[in-house]
Amino acid sequence: MKELVRPPRLAAGARVAVVAPSGPVPEERLQAGLDILRGWDLDPVVGAHVLDRHGRFGYLAGTDADRAADFLAAWCDPSVDAVFCARGGYGVQRMADLLDWDALRAARPKVLVGFSDITALHEAFATRLGLVTLHGPMAAGIDFVKNARAQDHLRATLFEPESVRTIRSAGGQALVPGRAGGVLLGGCLCLLASELGTPHARPSAAGGLLCLEDVGEETYRLDRYLTQLLRAGWFDGVAGILLGSWEGCGPYERVRDLVLDRLGGLGVPIAEEFGFGHGEGALTVPFGVRAELDAGAGVLTLGVPALV
């Protein structure tokens, strides 16, 4: 697995676009997120359909075509330096094939920020554009608008990425001790499993440091996702595994036992509680950058800053 192209960091006055490729966005939270971005001396612009709601399927932020059009317009706008997803939920997979990937590829590299359902875009940007993306808080997400830790770490990653090259576990243990190096990838477990066989999914995690997290999934469903990925050979050759948050996934001890049962046999380092994902105060992790994991010490060290 090769390192990907790093987009430029942001500077004061940068123009950033906010789009909604997945679920509907609460207007109050969107405005709060925009105020934070303005407080960072950024110039946020909002996609035309960010506050839309699909007429028949209320879990979507407008039609697939409109969500795709907003995303494409934001990414291809030469004045825009970063694209922030407003929230996750569901919907990226419905619009991914409507995007003009040739046009996206022709646009200059810029920052993409999001997580959860945006995992499908992280995968697509890696395979189709070869571009580093940021698995981090979203502009209208509860964690972003209310949690200083999430805000501060994302801001540092965007403006001073050399200052956040080390991420430490929040007191977790090494489920499987050891050291490993590889290119960071991953995201929401259920999305990685559901992406199997699609045009934008990578064939395996070989050579990568895999970041896994999820939210609101019962243990048997997590078991199903992990087992599906194992049976598909997707974990073959993975270098190491980092676990993020498992909010609403039942007793964490059971999740830990499941991960060991399903993935412990891979014989690679596995470390927990790295603070990314759906948990409070989520940290930002750059996908596509090479890093070193010391599972025993609970430390992830980026080989280079997330952005140039």
Side-chain angles (χ1 to χ4, degrees):
M1 188 176 296
K2 297 180 180 179
E3 292 185 83
L4 305 182
V5 174
R6 291 178 293 152
R9 69 186 66 197
L10 300 187
R15 197 175 202 212
V16 299
V18 178
V19 297
S22 302
V25 179
E27 184 172 6
E28 182 177 333
R29 288 218 310 262
L30 174 65
Q31 294 305 322
L34 294 175
D35 286 342
I36 291 169
L37 295 176
R38 294 187 186 104
W40 293 357
D41 201 14
L42 295 173
D43 176 22
V45 293
V46 179
H49 301 282
V50 164
L51 293 176
D52 285 6
R53 184 181 289 266
H54 195 285
R56 288 179 297 154
F57 307 118
Y59 49 80
L60 297 171
T63 67
D64 299 340
D66 284 343
R67 298 197 318 280
D70 271 9
F71 190 91
L72 186 65
W75 193 265
C76 294
D77 184 339
S79 72
V80 168
D81 299 302
V83 175
F84 288 77
C85 297
R87 62 154 294 187
Y90 170 74
V92 166
Q93 290 174 302
R94 288 181 54 126
M95 63 143 233
D97 294 331
L98 301 180
L99 293 171
D100 183 339
W101 288 95
D102 289 334
L104 293 173
R105 191 177 299 108
R108 66 180 175 86
K110 57 190 69 175
V111 179
L112 172 67
V113 185
F115 76 106
S116 193
D117 191 51
I118 312 306
T119 296
L121 279 178
H122 289 304
E123 283 288 283
F125 268 58
T127 60
R128 302 295 293 270
L129 305 186
L131 194 63
V132 166
T133 55
L134 300 183
H135 184 276
M138 292 176 281
I142 294 176
D143 199 43
F144 178 67
V145 301
K146 294 186 176 182
N147 191 283
R149 179 177 184 242
Q151 294 170 15
D152 291 346
H153 196 260
L154 175 58
R155 183 178 183 178
T157 305
L158 292 170
F159 289 93
E160 300 176 345
E162 63 279 347
S163 70
V164 284
R165 285 180 58 185
T166 300
I167 299 176
R168 299 182 184 276
S169 166
Q173 59 183 308
L175 276 63
V176 178
R179 295 172 178 262
V183 176
L184 289 162
L185 76 155
C188 196
L189 174 59
C190 67
L191 266 296
L192 293 171
S194 63
E195 277 289 287
L196 282 175
T198 66
H200 311 299
R202 68 186 86 214
S204 78
L209 285 179
L210 177 61
C211 300
L212 293 177
E213 64 91 29
D214 217 316
V215 63
E217 297 283 2
E218 295 186 40
T219 308
Y220 81 91
R221 294 177 65 88
L222 297 176
D223 190 330
R224 177 187 296 156
Y225 304 141
L226 291 171
T227 300
Q228 181 180 3
L229 290 165
L230 280 167
R231 296 180 69 208
W234 198 79
F235 287 108
D236 294 354
V238 69
I241 298 171
L242 297 88
L243 305 180
S245 61
W246 302 93
E247 192 77 22
C249 293
Y252 180 63
E253 293 75 14
R254 190 180 303 163
V255 176
R256 181 191 287 125
D257 288 345
L258 174 64
V259 171
L260 275 172
D261 178 82
R262 295 283 72 199
L263 304 184
L266 296 173
V268 302
I270 303 176
E272 64 177 354
E273 296 189 21
F274 267 87
F276 57 85
H278 289 83
E280 185 176 351
L283 302 180
T284 300
V285 179
F287 288 165
V289 171
R290 184 171 180 82
E292 300 291 328
L293 170 66
D294 184 336
V299 176
L300 177 72
T301 305
L302 305 183
V304 292
L307 307 174
V308 295

